[in-house]
Amino acid sequence: MKRIWTLASKDFLETRRDRLALLFTVVMPLAFTAFFGLMFGGGSDRLPLAISSADHGAPATQLVSALARSGVVKTEMMTKDDAEKAVDDNKVAAALEIPAGFSAALAAGRPAELTLVSTAGSSGAQTVQTEVSALAGPLAAGERAAQAAVAVAGTPPGGDSGASAQDLKDAALLMARPLAAQSLAQPVATVRVVEAGTAAGQIPNGFVLSSPGMLVNFILFSLLTAGIALIQERRNFTLQRLMTTRVRRWELIAGKAVGMFALTFVQQIILIGAGQLLFGVDYLRDPAALLLMMVALSLFASTLGLLLAAVLSSEQAMIATTVIVSMSVAALSGAWFPLEITGPAFQFVGHLLPTAWILDGLRGIIVRGFGVADVLPAFGVALAWSAALFALAVWRFRLSD
Amino acid sequence: MSIVEVQELCKQYDPPKGVLAVDGVSFHIDKGEIFSLLGPNGAGKSTTISMLSCLLRPSGGDALVDGHSVVTDSQAVKEAIGVVPQDIALYPDMSARENLLFWGKMYGLAGAELHARVDEVLELITLVDRQKDRVEKFSGGMKRRVNIGVALLHKPRVLYLDEPTVGIDPQSRRSILDGILALRDQGMTILYTTHYMAEAQELSDRIGIVDHGKMIAVGTNEELVRSVGEEAHVELSVDHYLEGMVERWADVPGVTKAMIDEERAVLLVQDANEVLPRLFEAAAAAGSRITEVNVTEPNLEMVFLHLTGRALRE
């Protein structure tokens, strides 16, 4: 075990000193995340919100205006049916229905209810709900306060005609305070959430799309560094020399695999950290589920890298093959564009690869709050693939050309 | 007392029709001696070392190293040996010290013992001052020294050196050869492969000459030279008519063998002083003019020539 760790540490040290590796493993992924994120609309983090209003009173109009000015949502007025269809089609994060009588209820001091239709577990919908509640609450409270003020204004303050203006003002405030307090104590506008179907088809956008995509893409791309290092070791006979020491063949292969795993895992920590801090992608909604996906991705990448380096004999072949394999796998898995916008055949082919499952898992964690149980299938698929790749790599592993 | 016993060792790549790289090689190495395998490139020296290092499994035969079979007890053999490969098998972007520490761990050293041993080896290869420099910045000779130092870390009982002086300057070569002799003086057993006759002659207690995978002669330098009748080696160049001259010189009394090697005639003669005038006379009689003469007293080159009919290229 000690020798495996020593072998892995040595590989890690060599990679850390390789400036070109730094470019491929950290700089380029971040640049591409920013590029694709902005291309997919990552610059605007406003969530699309469909609004259907059956009420044309002043409070309803004010609410629609306030939401239109919001920095959180991007509104679009629709009919109720179109709004619900937009939710079903994943075109909006949620649909807000303002019922007839909303304004009248507020005016009468009755609780007013808004309906928010969204997909189950949608994080976007949760954000929308918070924003609608935040804007509707003060609106309703303001309406109640105005009603209280009107009530006070309609009541003569009494006393002799010689009362001063200050006396009148004080008397009005004395009467208005309990009325306003009574009104504000009652429930104001509430938001009822109606979940429509599941969020399986919800398409994330912006950095939520690009960050995990580029993570998978460049983790696969970093196989280039590790694979070339292994080929160089074979060509400069250090692999052979290792076999003249007490190292056993299985220890050597395991050491190489652990080295690749460590490299890709650290790369993931950096890229996910950058995604969280720089691009606002919420990877940490379920750290345990995230850890499972990271392990799955590193397992797949390291065993694939080991196999490529075992099979290929030249650096040129490694470069060409890694570029083709990593790009193809990334594209098929939905790293560049969501598989949801593709046809069923493409999605089927994509999900033959573990990276498509891992991307589903990662985006599920970010967008839908997936937990460990939700990502276990993805982990299982990656584990099965990794076991097969590792067996092939061990079988084909050579010490010399 | 033998520490290495090689018995009918064979290696055939891709049997049954593949190349027979080593063909029934047998020899032994006594404890504390330098034994050289001398032969041209492709003779089977490196393949033999690879089998003795447990890197290649023999197709036939066996070898005992420190009493352990390379076929059935490879781990014990690996503990007994240190291997210096022909190529610089180091990590260029790591320093000399980092390389030694890494390889030391691979040999099973750890902790204070590892660091102490690395310090000793750095002293031995005279690279204490450059220990923190990356190996990629070293000269060829310095890299060779680190390459050797790695194999000494665990104090092996037998050291294999596979052509360790290839491609380095004369000063570095001298330094390495002196180092090897010093190791022998400290009691280490050394198996050395080379195609440089002078190195084998200078270093070795005994020499095995290999060609086409076979061991064609084994003995001390003196024994081997005596075995070919102590003949001198005469190389002659003529202005024209080389083939005809070689045929004529073959009949000159005192010439035991005459052949053409590239643009020169190569003769084996019993006494050069006596034969040379006759060779000039024969050339004059045939109308040829000798343009260059080189006389070499009996050595391993001549032994190889005598045994194979070919020159051992330096």
Side-chain angles (χ1 to χ4, degrees):
Chain A
M1 203 62 200
K2 208 171 175 181
R3 289 199 187 93
I4 293 172
W5 181 244
T6 304
L7 281 163
S9 307
K10 189 273 298 169
D11 282 358
F12 192 76
L13 174 73
E14 282 192 296
T15 308
R16 193 168 59 82
R17 286 181 177 168
D18 184 351
R19 289 183 183 177
L20 199 60
L22 184 71
L23 178 73
F24 278 115
T25 53
V26 178
V27 178
M28 280 179 65
L30 293 181
F32 273 72
T33 299
F35 175 75
F36 277 103
L38 293 171
M39 199 173 84
F40 289 129
S44 166
D45 53 0
R46 291 199 299 167
L47 293 160
L49 172 67
I51 300 176
S52 61
S53 180
D55 188 298
H56 302 291
T61 308
Q62 283 173 26
L63 176 61
V64 171
S65 300
L67 286 167
R69 291 193 300 272
S70 162
V72 177
V73 294
K74 184 180 174 186
T75 59
E76 190 177 349
M77 297 304 294
M78 297 182 189
T79 65
K80 186 180 174 186
D81 289 346
D82 286 348
E84 287 179 0
K85 187 169 186 310
V87 173
D88 286 343
D89 293 345
N90 291 318
K91 288 180 178 168
V92 293
L96 175 67
E97 293 173 9
I98 304 175
F102 172 76
S103 300
L106 285 182
R110 295 195 307 272
E113 189 175 74
L114 294 165
T115 302
L116 196 66
V117 181
S118 70
T119 50
S122 165
S123 62
Q126 289 168 14
T127 309
V128 171
Q129 182 190 350
T130 307
E131 181 67 0
V132 170
S133 298
L135 292 176
L139 183 72
E143 183 64 21
R144 296 285 173 81
Q147 294 292 335
V150 167
V152 171
T155 306
D160 60 58
S161 57
S164 68
Q166 185 58 46
D167 292 339
L168 287 173
K169 186 179 173 188
D170 290 344
L173 280 173
L174 201 64
M175 292 177 69
R177 275 181 192 132
L179 277 173
Q182 185 188 356
S183 297
L184 290 172
Q186 293 174 8
V188 289
T190 55
V191 179
R192 182 172 64 90
V193 177
V194 177
E195 292 182 339
T198 67
Q202 187 170 338
I203 302 170
N205 59 11
F207 296 125
V208 170
L209 185 70
S210 72
S211 178
M214 290 304 106
L215 174 76
V216 168
N217 192 137
F218 281 91
I219 289 291
L220 293 173
F221 213 78
S222 69
L223 302 180
L224 196 61
T225 312
I228 284 178
L230 186 51
I231 286 171
Q232 282 174 343
E233 277 215 59
R234 194 160 58 221
R235 298 186 81 181
N236 69 17
F237 298 97
T238 44
L239 277 189
Q240 286 203 27
R241 183 171 215 171
L242 280 167
M243 291 310 297
T244 69
T245 69
R246 294 187 194 176
V247 176
R248 289 179 169 83
R249 185 185 158 86
W250 70 266
E251 288 178 318
L252 178 57
I253 297 171
K256 292 291 161 194
V258 171
M260 287 188 189
F261 182 92
L263 168 71
T264 53
F265 198 79
V266 169
Q267 188 187 358
Q268 284 196 76
I269 291 172
I270 295 169
L271 295 183
I272 286 173
Q276 183 88 24
L277 299 173
L278 298 180
F279 301 114
V281 179
D282 193 4
Y283 279 104
L284 298 177
R285 293 182 67 183
D286 190 319
L290 177 66
L291 183 66
L292 266 185
M293 288 300 88
M294 289 170 72
V295 169
L297 183 54
S298 281
L299 270 179
F300 173 67
S302 55
T303 50
L304 178 62
L306 198 65
L307 177 62
L308 289 179
V311 172
L312 303 169
S313 32
S314 72
E315 292 166 38
Q316 289 80 1
M318 185 73 198
I319 292 169
T321 310
T322 306
V323 169
I324 292 168
V325 168
S326 63
M327 295 295 178
S328 308
V329 170
L332 283 170
S333 306
W336 295 354
F337 45 82
L339 287 180
E340 288 82 354
I341 67 170
T342 66
F346 196 98
Q347 288 189 31
F348 174 78
V349 172
H351 281 89
L352 294 176
L353 297 165
T355 36
W357 291 79
I358 291 168
L359 268 171
D360 285 349
L362 284 171
R363 287 176 179 149
I365 292 167
I366 298 162
V367 176
R368 306 204 293 272
F370 270 13
V372 170
D374 300 311
V375 299
L376 272 179
F379 186 75
V381 171
L383 202 62
W385 262 86
S386 303
L389 290 171
F390 187 70
L392 278 172
V394 170
W395 176 47
R396 299 292 298 168
F397 195 83
R398 291 167 295 138
L399 297 171
S400 59
D401 291 331
Chain B
M1 182 188 166
S2 296
I3 192 166
V4 178
E5 278 280 349
V6 180
Q7 301 144 358
E8 291 294 322
L9 209 55
C10 291
K11 183 64 192 179
Q12 184 174 26
Y13 293 104
D14 304 320
K17 291 182 180 174
V19 178
L20 194 58
V22 175
D23 186 5
V25 164
S26 297
F27 62 94
H28 72 274
I29 307 174
D30 289 334
K31 209 167 187 176
E33 78 169 349
I34 298 179
F35 183 90
S36 289
L37 284 176
L38 175 68
N41 291 329
K45 306 185 298 289
S46 294
T47 304
T48 302
I49 281 221
S50 291
M51 286 190 283
L52 296 180
S53 308
C54 308
L55 280 175
L56 283 177
R57 192 175 178 82
S59 309
D62 197 356
L64 299 179
V65 179
D66 202 26
H68 305 285
S69 162
V70 296
V71 177
T72 59
D73 199 2
S74 60
Q75 279 302 110
V77 170
K78 287 177 181 180
E79 284 182 24
I81 62 171
V83 181
V84 181
Q86 190 169 341
D87 299 273
I88 306 289
L90 300 169
Y91 297 103
D93 44 8
M94 286 164 60
S95 71
R97 187 176 187 85
E98 285 170 340
N99 264 285
L100 291 170
L101 285 170
F102 170 77
W103 288 103
K105 289 175 188 172
M106 292 297 105
Y107 280 119
L109 301 174
E113 184 196 10
L114 169 66
H115 285 273
R117 193 60 197 137
V118 166
D119 289 338
E120 285 172 27
V121 168
L122 282 167
E123 289 273 0
L124 195 69
I125 61 176
T126 61
L127 281 173
V128 175
D129 295 343
R130 303 288 304 274
Q131 61 176 296
K132 290 182 180 172
D133 291 351
R134 291 191 188 184
V135 167
E136 66 190 351
K137 293 178 182 169
F138 284 1
S139 67
M142 290 160 77
K143 287 177 185 171
R144 286 275 170 201
R145 271 143 60 193
V146 181
N147 208 32
I148 293 172
V150 163
L152 299 173
L153 283 164
H154 61 304
K155 297 184 178 173
R157 294 183 280 290
V158 185
L159 181 65
Y160 301 162
L161 293 132
D162 191 6
E163 310 226 23
T165 59
V166 170
I168 57 171
D169 60 276
Q171 194 182 347
S172 297
R173 177 187 286 199
R174 185 68 261 156
S175 164
I176 286 172
L177 296 183
D178 288 344
I180 292 167
L181 288 169
L183 288 170
R184 192 266 312 272
D185 292 343
Q186 291 165 22
M188 189 172 281
T189 306
I190 293 167
L191 171 59
Y192 191 91
T193 77
T194 183
H195 62 274
Y196 294 130
M197 177 208 67
E199 283 186 4
Q201 211 158 346
E202 180 190 343
L203 285 178
S204 316
D205 296 302
R206 289 189 309 120
I207 299 160
I209 298 179
V210 287
D211 189 40
H212 291 128
K214 290 180 186 288
M215 183 72 81
I216 54 177
V218 183
T220 63
N221 183 42
E222 293 72 24
E223 286 168 353
L224 290 169
V225 169
R226 264 203 308 276
S227 72
V228 297
E230 298 185 35
E231 290 176 313
H233 183 181
V234 180
E235 291 179 1
L236 298 130
S237 299
V238 290
D239 58 353
H240 68 281
Y241 194 44
L242 179 62
E243 286 184 15
M245 280 315 306
V246 169
E247 284 175 18
R248 284 168 182 253
W249 282 331
D251 297 331
V252 170
V255 174
T256 57
K257 203 166 192 174
M259 67 200 92
I260 295 174
D261 184 38
E262 294 182 355
E263 299 299 311
R264 299 169 306 169
V266 179
L267 312 180
L268 294 180
V269 302
Q270 287 164 349
D271 185 336
N273 287 337
E274 201 176 288
V275 171
L276 271 173
R278 295 178 200 152
L279 299 178
F280 276 89
E281 283 169 18
S288 284
R289 194 165 65 87
I290 295 173
T291 56
E292 191 180 348
V293 181
N294 280 311
V295 179
T296 312
E297 287 305 313
N299 59 25
L300 291 174
E301 173 80 32
M302 295 171 60
V303 174
F304 190 82
L305 187 68
H306 183 87
L307 293 172
T308 66
R310 291 180 291 114
L312 175 66
R313 290 270 162 248
E314 290 268 346

